[in-house]
Amino acid sequence: LTTTAGLGCVVFLVFGAASPQVDYEEALLMQVVDLSESPEVFSEPSTPQSLALQWLANIDEAEVDPDDTVRVETRYSLAVLFFATNGPSQWLDKLNFLSDTHECNWNNEEKGVFCDPETDLVMNVIIDSNNLRGSLPVELTALSSLKVLNMADNRLTGTLPSWQYGVLESLFLDWNTLESSIPHSLGDMTQLKDLDLSSNMLVSTIPEEFRQLLQLETLNLANNGLTGTGQMLADLSSLRHLNLTDNAFQGNLDFLKDLPRLESLDLSSNNFKANLAYEKFSSMTNLETMILANNEIVGPVPSSLGKLTKLAYVDVAQNLLTGTFPWYAFPESKLTSVLMADNLFTGLLPLDIFRFDFLEVVNFDKNHLSGNLPIGIGGSTSLKTLHLAANSLSGEIPAGIGNLQSLQDLDISDNAMTGTVPDTLSNLSSLLLLDIHGNSFSGTLPEGLRFFETIQRIALQDNNITGSINFLCEIESKPIISADCGGSIPQVNCSCCDICLI
């Protein structure tokens, strides 16, 4: 028996009388040949398609009836997937693939192939984090009832096939090495609700056909090389989660006003140029997370953003924002994180910050804030991170800072603060980072700091602190300590400091 590829068909050349096994293989071939992009794939015995056919015809003891088209196509396409992604040698868990059992049992109850119990049609193929290597085969289109396809976190390469899935609802191919552009055929999968192609090597623009994905609720295209604008997404009014971070998208943010159901938005590390005018966000009454960091967002933060009453996490760091942040406009019970580092904010740090019930993170590093820290700084019971480095803050550290019982990270480095370090800092028993370097603090360090229990880093250098800080050597967590303990006449005495500067 030999085969030769013709135009659009494969011809069997049989010498002598055909055996039943030859007839069986030929019957199987006739069922599956149209699933491949070209019949020529069967002319080479080492292709995934040839290997799958040979297994199905000569090794598989299930001996599927060739007239059972759905069963033949299903079993064959799954076998092609196994061979195309180096299943025999690379899969961490073979998941019962190519066993004699029904293909609906090719799983380990968590990963693998899962079927509708009434029809035995494949509904879910979940093979994430299993070291799949190679290209995705177009033959998977044979799984016409597929609703979930998850092959995330593998080592898949090549291009995305032009699959035609009419009922697919969830497609997860993130954390692979897929390249080229997004196929236009994805836009024809109009039942899609979840699409994650993040952390690949995709390029070009979002296809025009994406406008058809009216059921889409989650779209993650992060960490690729995609370009263009977000305008192709303006019609996706069902979107609840949108992540385009770390691409090369550009243009304005006007497309956002047509996405009223958004709950989380991450457009960070792109080239968007826009302001935060409220009309772009006014329809997003469900928005909880807004991440626009590392773009070219300009102008002030409008107080009208406070009308987004569910907004909890705001990150607009590394932009060109000006003015002051309108803390007064936001509900006290919602904000948890405000990250505004590396902008052009000015003015005082308001006492309003410390009235929020659930605020955990405040980061205004690298701005132009001035004035003193507010006397009532200790009013928050939830604050864990307070970063105010590289501003123009002055005055002393208020004693009330010791009331921030949840505080873990305190960074007020590179400012113009003066006075002594208050004893009340030793009350911060959860502190992991204390960075006060690059100020004009003077006097001796309070010995109560020896009672820090979990601290990992203490930075004291570039101040006017004097005396011995050897008591810090008693801290059980053995933090990394840097201080002005260098030179022939050190400013402070420290026998355990990791970094001594002059």
Side-chain angles (χ1 to χ4, degrees):
L1 171 68
T2 62
T3 64
T4 178
L7 293 175
C9 66
V10 175
V11 179
F12 277 81
L13 303 180
V14 181
F15 301 94
S19 68
Q21 187 61 32
V22 170
D23 291 339
Y24 181 59
E25 184 171 346
E26 182 177 359
L28 291 174
L29 177 60
M30 292 302 103
Q31 290 283 25
V32 303
V33 65
D34 290 336
L35 297 178
S36 301
E37 292 179 309
S38 169
E40 294 181 358
V41 297
F42 295 100
S43 63
E44 292 291 336
S46 61
T47 65
Q49 293 78 11
S50 290
L51 292 171
L53 179 62
Q54 289 298 318
W55 169 78
L56 192 63
N58 302 313
I59 301 174
D60 185 12
E61 294 184 5
E63 296 183 349
V64 178
D65 183 354
D67 293 329
D68 188 347
T69 303
V70 173
R71 183 89 191 280
V72 170
E73 290 183 350
T74 298
R75 205 163 173 85
Y76 166 77
S77 63
L78 291 170
V80 172
L81 171 65
F82 186 70
F83 287 114
T85 56
N86 288 280
S89 61
Q90 298 294 335
W91 284 23
L92 301 178
D93 187 335
K94 302 302 187 288
L95 301 172
N96 293 319
F97 267 62
L98 304 197
S99 66
D100 298 332
T101 62
H102 195 285
E103 56 273 14
C104 292
N105 296 319
W106 291 1
N107 62 71
N108 65 5
E109 298 185 355
E110 294 182 359
K111 296 180 183 180
V113 178
F114 301 91
C115 300
D116 185 311
E118 295 183 0
T119 65
D120 279 344
L121 296 175
V122 175
M123 306 293 287
N124 302 336
V125 175
I126 302 172
I127 317 179
D128 58 309
S129 306
N130 201 40
N131 201 39
L132 276 64
R133 298 176 180 230
S135 301
L136 290 167
V138 69
E139 286 80 3
L140 285 181
T141 302
L143 306 178
S144 58
S145 297
L146 197 64
K147 288 185 177 293
V148 177
L149 179 58
N150 184 350
M151 296 189 187
D153 191 23
N154 283 291
R155 299 189 180 186
L156 297 171
T157 56
T159 62
L160 278 169
S162 295
W163 286 321
Q164 300 292 332
Y165 285 123
V167 297
L168 193 68
E169 295 180 357
S170 299
L171 178 58
F172 303 101
L173 296 174
D174 47 302
W175 290 102
N176 282 287
T177 318
L178 300 170
E179 51 191 3
S180 79
S181 59
I182 299 174
H184 294 262
S185 60
L186 270 184
D188 296 327
M189 300 181 191
T190 56
Q191 300 303 307
L192 269 180
K193 294 182 179 179
D194 305 292
L195 177 59
D196 193 340
L197 304 177
S198 62
S199 300
N200 280 285
M201 299 172 64
L202 301 175
V203 295
S204 192
T205 59
I206 298 174
E208 176 78 24
E209 288 80 0
F210 262 50
R211 295 180 184 274
Q212 302 169 182
L213 301 179
L214 301 181
Q215 306 299 317
L216 199 62
E217 297 181 1
T218 300
L219 176 60
N220 190 344
L221 301 176
N223 303 313
N224 281 288
L226 297 168
T227 58
T229 69
Q231 202 55 43
M232 296 302 175
L233 308 178
D235 294 331
L236 307 185
S237 58
S238 296
L239 268 184
R240 295 190 299 115
H241 307 284
L242 175 60
N243 190 343
L244 303 179
T245 188
D246 198 11
N247 280 283
F249 289 110
Q250 56 188 337
N252 56 44
L253 301 179
D254 291 350
F255 68 96
L256 295 176
K257 67 178 182 295
D258 298 315
L259 306 178
R261 298 185 183 179
L262 273 185
E263 297 175 17
S264 64
L265 171 67
D266 190 348
L267 305 180
S268 58
S269 298
N270 281 283
N271 299 314
F272 289 110
K273 297 181 180 180
N275 57 36
L276 295 180
Y278 178 59
E279 56 266 20
K280 297 184 180 71
F281 306 95
S282 60
S283 65
M284 299 182 191
T285 55
N286 294 310
L287 193 64
E288 298 176 1
T289 300
M290 176 195 289
I291 305 177
L292 303 174
N294 194 19
N295 281 284
E296 294 184 42
I297 312 299
V298 301
V301 177
S303 59
S304 51
L305 283 185
K307 296 178 182 179
L308 303 179
T309 56
K310 293 185 178 181
L311 195 59
Y313 188 101
V314 184
D315 182 356
V316 199
Q318 293 179 277
N319 280 289
L320 300 169
L321 294 170
T322 57
T324 60
F325 187 83
W327 294 96
Y328 61 88
F330 288 83
E332 297 182 8
S333 59
K334 294 299 179 182
L335 280 179
T336 62
S337 301
V338 179
L339 291 85
M340 297 287 162
D342 202 358
N343 276 287
L344 303 171
F345 287 111
T346 56
L348 305 175
L349 189 71
L351 185 59
D352 286 346
I353 293 178
F354 306 99
R355 65 177 170 81
F356 287 87
D357 296 333
F358 299 105
L359 189 62
E360 296 183 355
V361 178
V362 173
N363 189 336
F364 276 79
D365 287 348
K366 298 181 181 179
N367 278 282
H368 302 294
L369 302 181
S370 59
N372 299 349
L373 294 180
I375 297 297
I377 193 173
S380 172
T381 59
S382 58
L383 194 64
K384 294 181 179 180
T385 298
L386 180 60
H387 281 204
L388 303 171
N391 280 282
S392 299
L393 298 173
S394 56
E396 301 183 359
I397 300 176
I401 200 168
N403 295 326
L404 298 175
Q405 292 298 304
S406 298
L407 198 63
Q408 297 178 354
D409 283 14
L410 175 61
D411 187 351
I412 52 174
S413 61
D414 291 321
N415 279 285
M417 300 186 70
T418 57
T420 59
V421 177
D423 292 341
T424 53
L425 270 183
S426 60
N427 296 336
L428 303 179
S429 58
S430 300
L431 208 60
L432 301 174
L433 167 70
L434 174 62
D435 191 344
I436 62 172
H437 87 267
N439 283 282
S440 297
F441 294 117
S442 58
T444 57
L445 205 64
E447 294 199 15
L449 301 188
R450 74 173 74 226
F451 299 113
F452 282 145
E453 298 177 357
T454 58
I455 197 158
Q456 301 296 313
R457 179 81 172 91
I458 300 175
L460 307 172
Q461 71 272 17
D462 296 327
N463 280 290
N464 298 317
I465 297 171
T466 58
S468 174
I469 58 172
N470 282 325
F471 54 85
L472 296 180
C473 303
E474 302 175 19
I475 299 175
E476 292 185 7
S477 59
K478 303 299 179 184
I480 297 173
I481 304 172
S482 55
D484 296 318
C485 49
S488 56
I489 305 178
Q491 191 170 299
V492 297
N493 295 318
C494 182
S495 61
C496 62
C497 282
D498 301 272
I499 302 172
C500 282
L501 295 114
I502 299 176

